[in-house]
């Protein structure tokens, strides 16, 4: 469940868990670093010649431009979206760099301006029907 991948059937599944008071810990909200500019998607090398990977790269570029316009990083947006569903009780974030811990905590506690979410919706980068962004824990 990520800002890039949040199909309605997955959202409905998380809804059913929340209805049963089962909290979800969300992990890999950056797709293995890809959303932050890395060369791997879900821990495999990205291939720009592959049509699906090409679409992912285009999505990432568009998302990063929107983030910059709203003075947020793709990391902040990914964490906020990953926390946005009421059934998500935490995100699992990891780093090998101790200096990044503060940034990670800030991302989990920070806010994302509504116009950023609106722009992502308008461009089709997130599902226009996803209902939880205005009340998200990170947003």
């Amino acid at each position: 469940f990520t800002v890039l991948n949040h199909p309605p059937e997955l959202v409905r599944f998380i809804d059913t868990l929340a209805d049963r008071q089962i909290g979800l810990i969300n992990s890999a909200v950056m797709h293995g670093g890809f959303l932050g500019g890395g060369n791997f998607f879900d821990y495999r090398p990205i291939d720009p010649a592959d049509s699906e990977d090409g679409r992912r790269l285009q999505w990432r570029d568009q998302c990063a431009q929107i983030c910059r316009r709203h003075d947020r990083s793709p990391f902040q947006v990914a964490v906020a979206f990953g926390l946005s569903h009421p059934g998500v009780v935490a995100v699992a974030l990891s780093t090998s760099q101790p200096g990044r811990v503060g940034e990670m905590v800030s991302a989990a506690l920070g806010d994302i301006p509504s116009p950023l979410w609106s722009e992502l919706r308008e461009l089709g980068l997130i599902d226009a029907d996803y209902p939880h962004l205005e009340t998200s824990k990170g947003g």
Side-chain angles (χ1 to χ4, degrees):
F1 173 73
T2 70
V3 67
L4 173 62
N5 184 32
H6 50 278
E9 58 273 9
L10 179 56
V11 174
R12 284 192 301 274
F13 175 69
I14 299 170
D15 290 342
T16 64
L17 292 176
D19 290 345
R20 294 169 32 209
Q21 298 183 352
I22 298 170
L24 180 74
I25 299 172
N26 197 357
S27 65
V29 296
M30 293 294 290
H31 288 281
F34 173 76
L35 297 181
N39 296 322
F40 288 80
F41 179 82
D42 292 344
Y43 310 103
R44 67 158 182 80
I46 197 86
D47 178 7
D50 177 78
S51 63
E52 192 169 334
D53 282 351
R55 284 190 294 278
R56 289 180 180 122
L57 288 165
Q58 183 179 21
W59 186 99
R60 179 177 74 182
D61 291 345
Q62 287 181 295
C63 182
Q65 288 173 15
I66 293 166
C67 290
R68 281 191 295 275
R69 278 198 293 276
H70 294 275
D71 198 31
R72 297 298 187 275
S73 71
F75 178 72
Q76 291 170 307
V77 169
V79 171
F81 190 92
L83 282 167
S84 66
H85 192 290
V88 175
V89 297
V91 289
L93 303 174
S94 63
T95 182
S96 60
Q97 302 169 23
R100 294 204 59 215
V101 172
E103 172 190 1
M104 295 172 129
V105 171
S106 292
L109 299 175
D111 67 331
I112 302 299
S114 292
L116 187 152
W117 295 131
S118 296
E119 195 170 345
L120 290 173
R121 279 185 168 128
E122 288 166 13
L123 291 175
L125 298 178
I126 57 175
D127 184 349
D129 295 326
Y130 179 70
H132 302 295
L133 292 175
E134 309 324 318
T135 58
S136 70
K137 295 171 216 110

